[in-house]
């Protein structure tokens, strides 16, 4: 407070108590104090963000009359205010952020924009893929903060190779085609893929020659190589079925003496021939076993039997594994003795 005396007075004095000593002893005048108004100070805040980004917000309220404050967005679909006070860019557009507290507020505008894909690359896909196999392709999308990083997979020829939505490629038939990976903004990458077939190059068997006695059987084990060949189908046949026949499970049954071939052939015309020989074991000796008979001994014959009787004889063949063991009994004079299956009938 400034107190000034009237003109002509000698002393002037500035006092601090609000009371002027001049003026004839009137009532002292009291001074009035007005506190400063609250004010929002924005210290750190964004004005531009990309979709998917998050940003912090730093502010203070000067001369605050209340410790509470709020932050709000004019468009939460574009820019969202999180519980911790940070901002998240949701979609392209513009939103106004308002900071309020102690009866005052301050706003700023933020523009949210998308980040476009600049390049797409196809990774982990081989140049060649065997027929029937699969491969997992992956896409590298740049920049890493691109707003929409989704890609679409496409095959230039699904009859050669198919690809599904997650990048799994399946080789369907031999040939060459192109795998296409395209981003939502049209940026794409293309890679060439060759589908090839592995053909059988060997027929492996557990025997190289077959030798059988008439009536015997033998099973042939067949393996088509290489193991990873695509088409391992084959056919088996006997060229002369009068000598041997093919049974179920690649089993050969010998029928009569002779030679023929077992022929194995794959669908790519790879062929293997196995010689087949069929033989029989002949009977070398035949002996009649009469040890069970009781002969009548006479002065004129060593072995004699009574008239009108029946006797049964045994028979021994050598070797025991002879192929044909059927025996035919014959009598030189059926009117005297008739023979049938080892049984003799004495007539006279």
């Amino acid at each position: 407070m400034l107190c000034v005396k009237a003109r002509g007075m000698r002393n002037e004095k500035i006092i601090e108590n609000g009371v002027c000593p001049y003026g004839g002893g009137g009532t002292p005048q009291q001074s009035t104090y007005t506190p400063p108004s609250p004010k929002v100070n924005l210290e750190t805040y964004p004005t531009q963000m990309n979709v998917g980004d998050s940003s912090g917000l730093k502010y203070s309220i000067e001369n605050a009359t209340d410790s509470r404050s709020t932050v709000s967005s004019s468009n939460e679909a574009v820019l969202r205010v999180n519980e911790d006070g940070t901002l998240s860019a949701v979609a392209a557009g513009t939103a106004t952020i308002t900071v309020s507290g102690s009866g005052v507020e301050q706003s700023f505008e933020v523009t949210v924009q998308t980040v476009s894909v600049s390049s797409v690359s196809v990774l982990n896909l081989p140049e060649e893929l065997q027929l029937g196999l699969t491969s997992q392709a992956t896409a590298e999308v740049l920049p890493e903060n691109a707003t929409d990083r989704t890609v679409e997979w496409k095959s230039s020829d699904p009859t050669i190779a198919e690809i599904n939505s997650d990048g799994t490629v399946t080789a369907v038939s031999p040939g060459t085609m192109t795998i296409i990976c395209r981003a939502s903004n049209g940026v794409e990458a293309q890679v060439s893929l060759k589908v090839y077939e592995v053909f059988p190059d060997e027929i492996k068997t557990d025997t190289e020659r077959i030798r059988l006695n008439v009536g015997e059987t033998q099973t042939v084990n067949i393996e088509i190589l290489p193991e990873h060949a695509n088409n391992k189908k084959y056919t088996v046949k006997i060229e002369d079925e009068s000598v041997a026949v093919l049974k179920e499970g690649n089993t050969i049954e010998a029928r009569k003496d002779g030679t023929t071939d077992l022929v194995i052939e794959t669908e790519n015309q790879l062929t293997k021939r196995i010689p087949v020989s069929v033989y029989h074991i002949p009977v070398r000796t035949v002996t009649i076993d009469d040890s069970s008979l009781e002969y009548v001994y006479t002065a004129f014959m060593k072995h004699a039997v009574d008239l009108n009787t029946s006797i049964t004889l045994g028979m021994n063949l050598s070797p025991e594994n002879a192929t044909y063991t059927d025996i035919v009994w014959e009598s030189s004079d059926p009117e005297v003795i008739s023979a049938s299956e080892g049984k003799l009938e004495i007539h006279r």
Side-chain angles (χ1 to χ4, degrees):
M1 180 178 179
L2 177 64
C3 182
V4 183
K5 69 177 180 178
R7 185 183 297 274
M9 297 182 67
R10 293 185 176 179
N11 296 322
E12 298 178 358
K13 187 176 182 182
I14 298 174
I15 61 175
E16 297 178 356
N17 297 326
V19 179
C20 182
Y22 309 106
T27 303
Q29 298 181 358
Q30 299 294 324
S31 63
T32 302
Y33 173 74
T34 303
S37 300
K39 178 183 178 182
V40 176
N41 292 324
L42 297 175
E43 300 174 21
T44 302
Y45 61 95
T47 59
Q48 214 172 44
M49 294 178 68
N50 296 324
V51 173
D53 288 350
S54 294
S55 176
L57 175 63
K58 186 176 181 181
Y59 65 89
S60 62
I61 300 180
E62 187 179 336
N63 303 317
T65 60
D66 192 332
S67 61
R68 294 172 297 178
S69 63
T70 60
V71 179
S72 61
S73 171
S74 65
N75 191 345
E76 289 274 339
V78 173
L79 190 61
R80 183 179 66 247
V81 179
N82 302 312
E83 292 184 0
D84 61 357
T86 58
L87 307 177
S88 292
V90 180
T94 301
T96 300
I97 299 299
T98 302
V99 179
S100 304
S102 297
V104 293
E105 63 181 30
Q106 182 69 36
S107 299
F108 60 93
E109 190 175 83
V110 181
T111 299
V112 178
Q113 59 188 11
T114 59
V115 178
S116 299
V117 172
S118 60
S119 68
V120 176
S121 300
V122 177
L123 306 178
N124 303 323
L125 189 65
E127 295 180 357
E128 297 183 350
L129 186 62
Q130 184 181 340
L131 175 66
L133 298 185
T134 61
S135 181
Q136 182 65 56
T138 58
E140 181 182 53
V141 180
L142 296 177
E144 293 185 356
N145 66 335
T147 302
D148 187 354
R149 296 172 55 82
T150 59
V151 295
E152 178 186 13
W153 294 98
K154 184 179 179 182
S155 168
S156 66
D157 191 344
T159 64
I160 296 176
E162 299 174 342
I163 187 166
N164 62 17
S165 59
D166 69 354
T168 301
V169 180
T170 303
V172 178
S173 64
T176 301
M177 44 75 68
T178 301
I179 295 295
I180 304 165
C181 181
R182 181 180 294 119
S184 59
N185 67 340
V187 175
E188 67 177 36
Q190 297 186 9
V191 293
S192 179
L193 177 66
K194 179 181 178 181
V195 175
Y196 65 93
E197 182 175 1
V198 176
F199 294 97
D201 58 17
E202 181 185 354
I203 300 174
K204 183 179 180 181
T205 57
D206 60 350
T207 183
E208 298 301 318
R209 178 177 292 275
I210 299 172
R211 181 173 169 79
L212 295 173
N213 186 11
V214 173
E216 288 183 337
T217 61
Q218 180 175 336
T219 299
V220 179
N221 295 314
I222 301 172
E223 184 179 4
I224 306 300
L225 300 176
E227 183 63 33
H228 62 282
N230 285 105
N231 186 355
K232 299 171 72 173
K233 294 180 180 178
Y234 61 88
T235 59
V236 185
K237 68 177 182 179
I238 297 287
E239 285 194 327
D240 188 348
E241 292 189 340
S242 68
V243 175
V245 292
L246 187 66
K247 298 292 188 178
E248 185 178 355
N250 298 329
T251 298
I252 296 93
E253 180 182 81
R255 283 191 167 180
K256 73 171 187 178
D257 290 10
T259 59
T260 185
D261 281 342
L262 176 71
V263 182
I264 307 166
E265 184 174 10
T266 64
E267 292 195 358
N268 68 321
Q269 298 181 336
L270 182 67
T271 303
K272 181 171 184 176
R273 306 176 75 90
I274 299 178
V276 178
S277 298
V278 178
Y279 63 96
H280 77 277
I281 301 174
V283 175
R284 301 193 182 279
T285 61
V286 178
T287 57
I288 295 176
D289 182 6
D290 61 353
S291 59
S292 63
L293 295 182
E294 294 183 1
Y295 288 104
V296 176
Y297 293 94
T298 68
F300 305 102
M301 304 181 90
K302 183 178 181 181
H303 296 150
V305 294
D306 291 333
L307 293 173
N308 300 318
T309 60
S310 297
I311 62 174
T312 301
L313 298 176
M315 179 271 301
N316 295 318
L317 298 180
S318 176
E320 293 183 356
N321 63 338
T323 302
Y324 302 109
T325 58
D326 294 335
I327 297 297
V328 177
W329 293 83
E330 294 181 354
S331 171
S332 61
D333 191 347
E335 292 184 0
V336 177
I337 299 177
S338 61
S340 176
E341 297 182 358
K343 186 175 182 180
L344 305 182
E345 297 287 342
I346 312 299
H347 302 298
R348 60 182 176 85

